[in-house]
Amino acid sequence: MGKAVHDSSGKGAAVRETVWGGCTRRALQADDGAEMDRGSWVRGCLNGVAHAPEQLPSGPVTRRTTDAGMLERFRAWARTGGEAQQVDHARALTVAQLTAHDYDIELSTDHSAGSGKPAAEALAQSFVEWWDGDHGRAGTARNVLVLGADGKRLAARRI
């Protein structure tokens, strides 16, 4: 994928994809093809646009850690803004480290795939409104994903 982006967009593609988070955005667009290990997909994209030698990972690249403190700060903000009903469905907040500098936020909910999609999109939008920085983490948060009770993506928004 990265080589195709480089070939179609010229040598400036490496800067655009790396600095502006293009590879992390493309990993979200890859859907099921990248869902389990978006970090590996991002690494391949970055290597391709930089004409770096192919470096296949020996294992999963994405590192996920839960952050209960961040979830509670988000819940407190939402409750004071009258959005308690939305955040009460959030069960866990996970930081998915994609590269050394980029990460996504994953909100796990109790929503079902069918009826929960509008609520999941509203929850993602609320998170984006709340997010006003990187909350003390090194790197850049790129996206928020809302996952259903079955672990599948219901909504995604750029931060």
Side-chain angles (χ1 to χ4, degrees):
M1 176 62 185
K3 182 155 176 27
V5 172
H6 181 276
D7 291 346
S8 68
S9 302
K11 60 184 178 178
V15 172
R16 287 189 301 277
E17 298 301 308
T18 303
V19 175
W20 294 335
C23 285
T24 58
R25 186 173 50 254
R26 290 174 192 280
L28 277 182
Q29 294 167 347
D31 291 327
D32 291 341
E35 198 63 39
M36 293 307 295
D37 191 9
R38 287 189 311 277
S40 181
W41 204 98
V42 171
R43 179 187 289 178
C45 176
L46 292 173
N47 286 345
V49 295
H51 275 294
E54 187 173 319
Q55 302 165 353
L56 298 175
S58 59
V61 173
T62 307
R63 283 171 283 159
R64 289 178 165 85
T65 55
T66 58
D67 193 330
M70 188 186 302
L71 178 58
E72 284 308 311
R73 289 190 303 274
F74 172 54
R75 281 181 173 159
W77 172 86
R79 286 183 179 124
T80 60
E83 299 180 29
Q85 193 174 34
Q86 288 179 21
V87 298
D88 285 344
H89 291 280
R91 298 292 173 236
L93 184 147
T94 303
V95 176
Q97 194 74 38
L98 304 173
T99 69
H101 305 289
D102 298 301
Y103 60 93
D104 286 344
I105 303 294
E106 297 175 345
L107 287 169
S108 298
T109 69
D110 58 7
H111 293 302
S112 62
S115 61
K117 194 158 178 88
E121 290 174 356
L123 181 60
Q125 183 57 40
S126 292
F127 189 88
V128 169
E129 290 172 14
W130 170 71
W131 189 264
D132 62 355
D134 288 336
H135 293 276
R137 291 190 168 273
T140 305
R142 297 292 183 177
N143 307 288
V144 59
L145 289 81
V146 179
L147 308 176
D150 60 358
K152 295 196 179 188
R153 184 189 327 169
L154 299 177
R157 290 276 165 108
R158 289 186 67 192
I159 296 178

